[in-house]
Coordinates of all heavy atoms in Angstrom, one line a residue:
M24 N 20.2 121.3 146.9 CA 19.7 122.4 146.1 C 19.5 123.7 146.8 O 19.7 124.8 146.4 CB 18.3 122.0 145.5 CG 18.4 121.1 144.3 SD 19.2 121.9 142.9 CE 19.4 120.5 141.8
V42 N 25.8 122.4 138.3 CA 26.8 121.6 139.1 C 26.1 120.8 140.2 O 26.4 119.6 140.4 CB 27.9 122.5 139.6 CG1 28.9 121.7 140.5 CG2 28.6 123.3 138.5
A43 N 25.2 121.4 140.9 CA 24.4 120.8 142.0 C 23.6 119.6 141.5 O 23.3 118.6 142.2 CB 23.6 121.8 142.7
W44 N 23.1 119.7 140.2 CA 22.3 118.6 139.7 C 22.9 117.3 139.9 O 22.3 116.3 140.4 CB 22.0 118.9 138.2 CG 21.2 117.9 137.4 CD1 21.7 117.1 136.5 CD2 19.8 117.7 137.4 NE1 20.7 116.3 135.9 CE2 19.5 116.7 136.4 CE3 18.7 118.3 138.2 CZ2 18.2 116.2 136.3 CZ3 17.4 117.8 138.0 CH2 17.2 116.8 137.0
G45 N 24.1 117.0 139.3 CA 24.7 115.8 139.5 C 25.0 115.4 141.0 O 24.9 114.2 141.3
L46 N 25.5 116.4 141.7 CA 25.8 116.1 143.1 C 24.6 115.7 143.9 O 24.7 114.9 144.9 CB 26.5 117.4 143.8 CG 27.8 117.7 143.2 CD1 28.2 119.0 143.8 CD2 28.8 116.6 143.4
A47 N 23.5 116.3 143.6 CA 22.2 116.0 144.2 C 21.8 114.5 144.0 O 21.3 113.8 145.0 CB 21.0 116.9 143.8
F48 N 22.0 114.0 142.8 CA 21.7 112.6 142.6 C 22.6 111.7 143.4 O 22.2 110.7 143.9 CB 21.9 112.2 141.2 CG 20.7 112.6 140.2 CD1 20.7 113.7 139.4 CD2 19.6 111.9 140.3 CE1 19.7 114.0 138.6 CE2 18.5 112.2 139.5 CZ 18.5 113.3 138.6
V49 N 23.9 112.1 143.5 CA 24.8 111.3 144.4 C 24.4 111.4 145.9 O 24.4 110.3 146.4 CB 26.2 111.9 144.3 CG1 27.2 111.2 145.2 CG2 26.7 111.9 142.9
A50 N 23.9 112.5 146.3 CA 23.4 112.6 147.6 C 22.2 111.7 147.9 O 22.0 111.1 149.0 CB 23.0 114.1 148.0
V51 N 21.3 111.6 146.9 CA 20.2 110.7 147.0 C 20.6 109.3 147.1 O 20.1 108.5 147.9 CB 19.1 111.0 145.8 CG1 18.1 109.8 145.8 CG2 18.5 112.3 145.8
A52 N 21.5 108.9 146.2 CA 22.1 107.5 146.3 C 22.7 107.1 147.6 O 22.5 106.1 148.1 CB 22.9 107.3 145.1
L53 N 23.6 108.0 148.0 CA 24.3 107.8 149.3 C 23.3 107.7 150.5 O 23.5 106.9 151.4 CB 25.4 108.7 149.5 CG 26.5 108.8 148.5 CD1 27.5 109.9 148.7 CD2 27.2 107.4 148.5
T54 N 22.4 108.6 150.5 CA 21.4 108.6 151.6 C 20.5 107.4 151.6 O 20.3 106.8 152.6 CB 20.5 109.8 151.5 OG1 21.3 111.0 151.5 CG2 19.5 109.9 152.6
G55 N 20.1 107.0 150.3 CA 19.3 105.7 150.3 C 20.2 104.6 150.7 O 19.6 103.6 151.4
Y56 N 21.5 104.5 150.3 CA 22.3 103.4 150.7 C 22.4 103.3 152.2 O 22.4 102.2 152.8 CB 23.7 103.6 150.1 CG 24.6 102.5 150.4 CD1 24.5 101.3 149.6 CD2 25.6 102.5 151.3 CE1 25.4 100.2 149.8 CE2 26.4 101.5 151.5 CZ 26.3 100.3 150.8 OH 27.2 99.2 151.1
G57 N 22.5 104.4 152.9 CA 22.7 104.4 154.3 C 21.4 104.0 155.0 O 21.4 103.2 156.0
R68 N 22.2 97.3 146.1 CA 22.4 98.5 146.8 C 23.7 99.2 146.4 O 23.8 100.4 146.0 CB 22.3 98.4 148.3 CG 20.9 98.1 148.9 CD 21.0 97.7 150.3 NE 21.5 98.8 151.1 CZ 22.6 98.7 151.9 NH1 23.3 97.5 152.0 NH2 23.0 99.7 152.6
A71 N 24.0 100.1 142.5 CA 23.2 101.3 142.1 C 23.9 102.5 142.6 O 24.0 103.5 142.0 CB 21.8 101.2 142.7
T72 N 24.3 102.5 143.9 CA 25.0 103.7 144.5 C 26.3 104.0 143.7 O 26.6 105.2 143.5 CB 25.3 103.4 146.0 OG1 24.1 103.1 146.6 CG2 25.9 104.6 146.6
A73 N 27.1 102.9 143.4 CA 28.4 103.3 142.7 C 28.2 103.8 141.3 O 28.8 104.8 140.9 CB 29.1 102.0 142.6
L74 N 27.1 103.3 140.6 CA 26.9 103.8 139.3 C 26.4 105.3 139.2 O 26.9 106.1 138.5 CB 25.9 102.9 138.5 CG 26.3 101.4 138.3 CD1 25.2 100.7 137.5 CD2 27.6 101.3 137.5
V75 N 25.6 105.6 140.2 CA 25.1 107.0 140.3 C 26.2 107.9 140.7 O 26.3 109.0 140.2 CB 23.8 107.1 141.2 CG1 23.5 108.5 141.5 CG2 22.7 106.3 140.7
T76 N 27.0 107.4 141.7 CA 28.1 108.3 142.1 C 29.1 108.6 141.1 O 29.5 109.8 140.9 CB 28.8 107.6 143.3 OG1 27.8 107.4 144.4 CG2 29.9 108.4 143.9
V77 N 29.5 107.6 140.3 CA 30.5 107.8 139.2 C 29.9 108.8 138.2 O 30.6 109.8 137.8 CB 30.9 106.5 138.5 CG1 31.7 106.7 137.3 CG2 31.7 105.7 139.5
W78 N 28.6 108.6 137.8 CA 28.0 109.4 136.8 C 27.9 110.9 137.3 O 28.2 111.8 136.6 CB 26.6 108.9 136.5 CG 25.9 109.8 135.6 CD1 25.9 110.0 134.3 CD2 24.8 110.7 136.0 NE1 24.9 111.0 133.9 CE2 24.3 111.4 135.0 CE3 24.2 110.9 137.4 CZ2 23.3 112.4 135.1 CZ3 23.3 111.9 137.5 CH2 22.8 112.6 136.4
G79 N 27.3 111.0 138.6 CA 27.1 112.3 139.1 C 28.4 113.1 139.3 O 28.4 114.4 139.0
L80 N 29.4 112.5 139.9 CA 30.6 113.3 140.1 C 31.3 113.7 138.8 O 31.9 114.8 138.6 CB 31.6 112.4 140.9 CG 31.2 112.1 142.4 CD1 32.2 111.3 143.1 CD2 31.0 113.4 143.1
R81 N 31.2 112.8 137.8 CA 31.8 113.2 136.5 C 31.1 114.3 135.9 O 31.7 115.3 135.4 CB 31.8 112.0 135.5 CG 32.6 112.3 134.2 CD 32.0 111.6 132.9 NE 30.8 112.3 132.6 CZ 30.8 113.4 131.8 NH1 31.9 113.9 131.4 NH2 29.6 113.9 131.4
L82 N 29.7 114.3 135.9 CA 28.9 115.4 135.3 C 29.2 116.6 136.0 O 29.4 117.7 135.4 CB 27.5 114.9 135.4 CG 26.5 116.0 134.8 CD1 26.7 116.1 133.3 CD2 25.0 115.5 135.0
S83 N 29.1 116.6 137.3 CA 29.3 117.9 138.1 C 30.7 118.4 137.9 O 30.8 119.6 137.8 CB 29.0 117.6 139.5 OG 27.6 117.4 139.8
G84 N 31.7 117.6 137.9 CA 33.0 118.0 137.7 C 33.3 118.7 136.4 O 33.8 119.8 136.3
L124 N 14.6 115.8 140.0 CA 15.7 114.8 140.3 C 15.2 113.7 141.4 O 15.6 112.5 141.2 CB 16.9 115.4 140.8 CG 17.0 116.1 142.2 CD1 17.5 115.0 143.2 CD2 18.0 117.2 142.3
W125 N 14.3 114.1 142.2 CA 13.7 113.1 143.1 C 12.9 112.1 142.3 O 13.1 110.9 142.5 CB 12.8 113.7 144.2 CG 12.1 112.7 145.0 CD1 12.6 112.1 146.1 CD2 10.8 112.1 144.8 NE1 11.6 111.2 146.7 CE2 10.6 111.2 145.8 CE3 9.8 112.4 143.9 CZ2 9.4 110.5 145.9 CZ3 8.6 111.6 144.0 CH2 8.4 110.7 145.0
S128 N 15.2 109.8 140.1 CA 16.0 108.9 140.8 C 15.2 107.8 141.5 O 15.8 107.0 142.2 CB 16.7 109.7 141.9 OG 15.9 110.2 142.9
V131 N 16.7 104.3 141.5 CA 17.8 104.1 142.5 C 17.3 104.0 143.8 O 17.9 103.1 144.6 CB 18.7 105.4 142.3 CG1 19.9 105.2 143.2 CG2 19.3 105.5 140.9
Q132 N 16.3 104.7 144.2 CA 15.8 104.6 145.5 C 15.1 103.2 145.7 O 15.3 102.6 146.7 CB 14.7 105.7 145.7 CG 15.2 107.1 145.6 CD 14.1 108.1 145.7 OE1 13.3 108.1 146.8 NE2 14.1 109.1 144.8
Q135 N 17.6 100.3 146.3 CA 18.2 100.2 147.7 C 17.4 99.3 148.5 O 18.0 98.7 149.5 CB 18.3 101.6 148.3 CG 19.0 102.6 147.5 CD 20.5 102.5 147.5 OE1 21.0 101.5 147.8 NE2 21.2 103.5 146.9
W152 N 24.5 101.4 130.8 CA 25.0 102.5 131.6 C 26.4 102.9 131.2 O 26.8 104.0 131.0 CB 25.1 102.1 133.1 CG 25.7 103.2 134.0 CD1 25.1 104.1 134.7 CD2 27.0 103.2 134.4 NE1 26.0 104.8 135.4 CE2 27.2 104.4 135.2 CE3 28.3 102.5 134.0 CZ2 28.5 104.8 135.7 CZ3 29.5 103.0 134.5 CH2 29.6 104.1 135.4
W200 N 20.4 106.6 132.4 CA 19.2 106.4 133.2 C 18.4 105.2 132.9 O 17.7 104.6 133.7 CB 18.4 107.7 133.4 CG 19.2 108.6 134.3 CD1 20.1 109.6 133.9 CD2 19.2 108.5 135.7 NE1 20.7 110.1 135.1 CE2 20.1 109.5 136.2 CE3 18.5 107.7 136.6 CZ2 20.3 109.7 137.6 CZ3 18.7 107.9 138.0 CH2 19.6 108.8 138.4
L203 N 20.1 102.3 134.7 CA 19.8 102.3 136.1 C 18.3 101.8 136.3 O 18.1 101.1 137.2 CB 19.9 103.7 136.7 CG 21.3 104.2 136.8 CD1 21.4 105.7 137.2 CD2 22.1 103.4 137.9

Side-chain angles (χ1 to χ4, degrees):
M24 281 298 171
V42 178
W44 175 255
L46 294 178
F48 279 106
V49 176
V51 168
L53 292 176
T54 302
Y56 183 79
R68 291 171 57 239
T72 304
L74 295 183
V75 173
T76 300
V77 169
W78 170 81
L80 291 180
R81 189 216 72 86
L82 180 64
S83 291
L124 76 86
W125 175 83
S128 67
V131 179
Q132 298 176 52
Q135 308 287 8
W152 178 91
W200 283 96
L203 290 168

